[in-house]
Amino acid sequence: MAERIEVLLTEEKINTRIREIGEQISKDYAGENIHLIGILKGGSFFMCELAKRISVPVTIDFMSVSSYGDQTVSGGKIKIKKDLDEDLTGKHVLVIEDIVDTGRTLNCLEALLKDRGAADVKLCALLDKPDRREVSVAVDYVGFQIPDEFVVGYGLDYAQRYRNLPYIGVVKFD
Ligand code: 5GP
């Protein structure tokens, strides 16, 4: 089936918002070190751009958990596919995710990382689809709230494609 991509958020709009979130995070964590945990693969583009806008010291690590695969519906539970390299004891952890949908991924991750001895765990997502929430999760920093549409770009894929788009677009099937 042929698909086309309709622009939802331009590169310029995303860059401006990332700059704002970076400033907010830098204020909130003044005097602290932040341990950023990027959720692969989708969160990696956002993580790199955001890290450059944070002015307090940061360290980074990555984790990969199972998500949608090649489908456009949620799979439910999460599975760790690649675990962290660093220990979390006493660290101020900030999880960087591409999108919050049902809330399951961040809800599970928050509990898991707190359990590993982090001093605190906060959550940051570029996109939020509030209409799709199934599990309650308090996301501390959100880039944009978007309608219930399947989006790609800026790290987000459809069957592993489109991650490299510098904007966020909606997949339309004609
Ligand atoms: P949740 O656990 O909140 O339901 O799902 C979060 C994960 O689902 C995201 O990290 C992402 O991989 C995937 N996801 C949710 N909505 C979308 C979407 O619109 N587009 C893409 N490409 N992935 C999505």
Side-chain angles (χ1 to χ4, degrees):
M1 197 191 296
E3 76 249 9
R4 65 191 164 82
I5 311 299
E6 236 174 55
V7 178
L8 180 68
L9 298 166
T10 63
E11 184 174 9
E12 195 187 10
K13 214 169 167 185
I14 298 168
N15 288 342
T16 304
R17 185 71 187 118
I18 290 180
R19 208 175 279 267
E20 286 170 5
I21 300 172
E23 282 168 12
Q24 186 62 52
I25 289 172
S26 305
K27 272 188 207 150
D28 294 351
Y29 285 88
E32 311 275 9
N33 294 348
I34 313 175
H35 192 58
L36 299 176
I37 295 181
I39 307 306
L40 297 169
K41 301 168 187 166
S44 59
F45 288 63
F46 176 41
M47 159 110 152
C48 295
E49 293 307 313
L50 182 63
K52 289 189 279 184
R53 306 295 166 209
I54 296 175
S55 55
V56 299
V58 301
T59 49
I60 66 169
D61 204 347
F62 289 97
M63 195 170 190
S64 176
V65 296
S66 62
S67 65
Y68 284 23
D70 290 354
Q71 299 160 17
T72 55
V73 290
S74 179
K77 286 189 215 142
I78 64 159
K79 188 176 115 195
I80 298 177
K81 293 196 283 188
K82 181 217 169 283
D83 211 336
L84 299 169
D85 293 331
E86 314 286 335
D87 183 75
L88 295 185
T89 312
K91 290 183 178 157
H92 300 291
V93 167
L94 180 58
V95 179
I96 313 292
E97 173 68 304
D98 48 11
I99 187 165
V100 204
D101 187 36
T102 64
R104 288 185 198 286
T105 307
L106 284 182
N107 180 281
C108 290
L109 272 174
E110 187 180 22
L112 187 112
L113 300 177
K114 276 185 175 158
D115 224 45
R116 292 189 183 183
D120 48 71
V121 178
K122 285 192 181 182
L123 308 174
C124 175
L126 178 61
L127 305 173
D128 179 15
K129 288 200 267 193
D131 295 347
R132 297 258 312 159
R133 200 73 84 254
E134 287 172 19
V135 173
S136 158
V137 61
V139 185
D140 302 277
Y141 305 98
V142 171
F144 301 93
Q145 291 203 331
I146 61 165
D148 179 11
E149 304 242 39
F150 192 79
V151 290
V152 293
Y154 227 88
L156 287 154
D157 76 305
Y158 170 60
Q160 297 302 326
R161 290 164 58 208
Y162 304 118
R163 290 191 196 277
N164 59 321
L165 295 179
Y167 54 86
I168 296 288
V170 177
V171 185
K172 296 283 181 188
F173 301 95
D174 296 319

